[in-house]
Amino acid sequence: MKNFKEMKYLLLDLDGVCYGKHNNYSLEKVFGQVSKRMTMFISERLKINMEEAKKLQTDYFYKYNTSLNGLMIHHDIPPEEFLKYVHTIDLTFMKEDKIMRSELEKLDMKKFIFTNGSAEHAKNILTHLGVYDLFGRDKVFDIKDAGYVPKPEAKTFDLMVKKFGLNPKETIYIEDIAKNLSIGYERGCTTVWLINDEHFGKIDSDKDYISHKIENLSLFLKEIRLLKSQ
């Protein structure tokens, strides 16, 4: 972990990283709502039953990295309409994570969000966690910024680098979906997988392109901070 002292940029995925077991919010509690609304949207828009809609949603997710990508390719679904519908969820259960906020504030690195979701969804999540002001829209790269081409496509990663002006070789990149780290590693990032039990998240978690594995984001940020202060 010695190279962490030289790192200048912190790149965080949103869902499953900014919240998860480490702050007592399972991915299912948030993304479960999103997933149900995806199924409802597909069922209503394509006029198929919920079972067929769920199967299509899952198939597209595994084949195209987001269900939206598959829906755009095969059904010409308007992405903005889809994103607004599926991200209309109830987050009243989510409270501020003061520990995470404290570690983010103390960490002397430029911090960014890199998500396959929408900027509006990121704002909603980060506001409820009490950390949105540490980022703001200009430090969030969302699926619209990516031209709706999801991670881990190289084109999307490169667009993110251009927007933020970061140097991958000076970047710690944290994801809960292991395979999304592949292009970051290729570009020179120090890659970190946040360990989880989600089937899709664990795929390729044994690959060499994962530099480190962690269980708690806030504790990891503290470790980096302490190393950088030595």
Side-chain angles (χ1 to χ4, degrees), residues 65-215:
N65 294 309
T66 63
S67 300
L68 172 59
N69 198 21
L71 290 168
M72 291 175 65
I73 291 169
H74 294 288
H75 307 281
D76 200 27
I77 293 296
E80 291 288 346
E81 180 183 343
F82 174 86
L83 290 167
K84 183 177 181 180
Y85 184 94
V86 304
H87 288 145
T88 303
I89 58 175
D90 179 12
L91 294 177
T92 54
F93 66 88
M94 187 175 279
K95 309 302 180 186
E96 294 183 1
D97 187 335
K98 294 181 180 179
I99 295 174
M100 180 171 68
R101 180 182 177 88
S102 176
E103 291 304 332
L104 286 168
E105 285 182 314
K106 293 175 185 176
L107 187 60
D108 184 22
M109 298 176 71
K110 293 183 178 179
K111 307 160 191 77
F112 304 99
I113 299 293
F114 184 26
T115 177
N116 275 341
S118 68
E120 291 75 16
H121 177 60
K123 181 178 181 179
N124 197 14
I125 292 288
L126 297 172
T127 297
H128 278 81
L129 289 172
V131 297
Y132 184 67
D133 60 300
L134 302 180
F135 296 94
R137 179 63 181 94
D138 62 326
K139 293 184 179 179
V140 173
F141 186 96
D142 77 336
I143 195 66
K144 185 175 181 180
D145 292 321
Y148 301 104
V149 178
K151 298 181 287 186
E153 291 294 326
K155 177 183 177 181
T156 296
F157 188 90
D158 294 341
L159 283 171
M160 177 276 298
V161 169
K162 184 177 180 180
K163 175 178 177 176
F164 294 149
L166 57 78
N167 179 354
K169 293 181 180 179
E170 299 176 313
T171 300
I172 298 173
Y173 176 21
I174 307 177
E175 277 273 0
D176 69 314
I177 296 178
K179 72 172 190 172
N180 283 349
L181 293 167
S182 56
I183 184 60
Y185 185 82
E186 285 182 25
R187 293 294 191 264
C189 292
T190 296
T191 56
V192 180
W193 181 53
L194 184 54
I195 298 168
N196 63 89
D197 294 325
E198 296 293 328
H199 174 69
F200 192 72
K202 291 191 293 185
I203 294 173
D204 291 345
S205 60
D206 59 344
K207 298 293 186 182
D208 291 340
Y209 59 70
I210 297 175
S211 309
H212 302 275
K213 298 180 181 181
I214 64 171
E215 295 184 348

Side-chain angles (χ1 to χ4, degrees), residues 4 12 25 29 63 66 126-127 140 156 218:
F4 287 173
L12 300 174
Y25 298 123
K29 199 164 186 180
K63 187 174 182 180
T66 63
L126 297 172
T127 297
V140 173
T156 296
S218 295

Side-chain angles (χ1 to χ4, degrees), residues 3-52:
N3 70 319
F4 287 173
K5 295 181 69 172
E6 313 303 322
M7 297 293 106
K8 297 179 180 179
Y9 308 99
L10 179 69
L11 186 63
L12 300 174
D13 177 45
L14 179 72
D15 294 298
V17 171
C18 292
Y19 66 88
K21 287 185 178 179
H22 57 281
N23 50 11
N24 299 315
Y25 298 123
S26 68
L27 185 63
E28 175 61 27
K29 199 164 186 180
V30 177
F31 209 76
Q33 295 185 63
V34 175
S35 180
K36 287 177 183 178
R37 291 189 66 79
M38 284 186 187
T39 309
M40 290 167 60
F41 182 96
I42 295 167
S43 175
E44 293 171 6
R45 177 54 66 95
L46 302 185
K47 294 180 171 49
I48 57 179
N49 64 43
M50 291 288 282
E51 185 177 346
E52 292 173 311

